[in-house]
Amino acid sequence: MFFAEIAGPLAAFGIIIGLPWMILHYITKWKTAATLTTDDEQMLEELHRIARRLDERMDTVERLVASDNPEFKPARLIADSAEDNAQLDEIDRLLTRTKQRTAK
């Protein structure tokens, strides 16, 4: 008997309060999961700096080996060429765009 008296208000509470709360809760979780955290951005910037340094080092190593051995054919295109650095330049543009968005 007690359950029958409470079932109606409990069902109404669940539909009116519980269901919208659950939907809004998961929408909020979904939206926050799609963005980068500050730690993620810092890690990406650090990885980008490391990639740039490694690219410069590869250019230096290839120049040194080519000066010692005239038959050396570098595996990469041309050291410091625009075509060779295109991927790193694209990462530069993306990082700049991300910084501008977070600054607003």
Side-chain angles (χ1 to χ4, degrees):
M1 195 72 164
F2 178 73
F3 180 72
E5 293 173 2
I6 289 198
L10 193 59
F13 178 80
I15 292 172
I16 294 171
I17 304 292
L19 188 60
W21 175 83
M22 187 174 69
I23 291 169
L24 292 173
H25 171 74
Y26 284 106
I27 287 173
T28 304
K29 289 281 188 187
W30 171 67
K31 285 184 178 180
T32 57
T35 60
L36 290 175
T37 64
T38 305
D39 291 338
D40 292 339
E41 289 179 13
Q42 289 174 351
M43 182 180 64
L44 284 174
E45 288 179 20
E46 180 64 24
L47 290 172
H48 180 256
R49 282 193 296 273
I50 291 170
R52 281 285 182 191
R53 284 196 331 234
L54 289 173
D55 185 56
E56 292 170 5
R57 288 179 183 178
M58 284 296 297
D59 291 341
T60 303
V61 168
E62 287 177 352
R63 264 196 322 271
L64 290 171
V65 172
S67 68
D68 288 345
N69 184 359
E71 296 176 10
F72 174 72
K73 302 282 187 219
R76 300 184 316 147
L77 301 171
I78 299 171
D80 269 344
S81 73
E83 192 175 350
D84 185 42
N85 293 330
Q87 291 177 335
L88 288 174
D89 292 339
E90 177 65 21
I91 293 171
D92 278 336
R93 284 190 294 275
L94 291 172
L95 281 173
T96 303
R97 212 178 308 152
T98 304
K99 286 179 186 177
Q100 289 171 349
R101 283 185 197 152
T102 56
K104 289 182 180 178

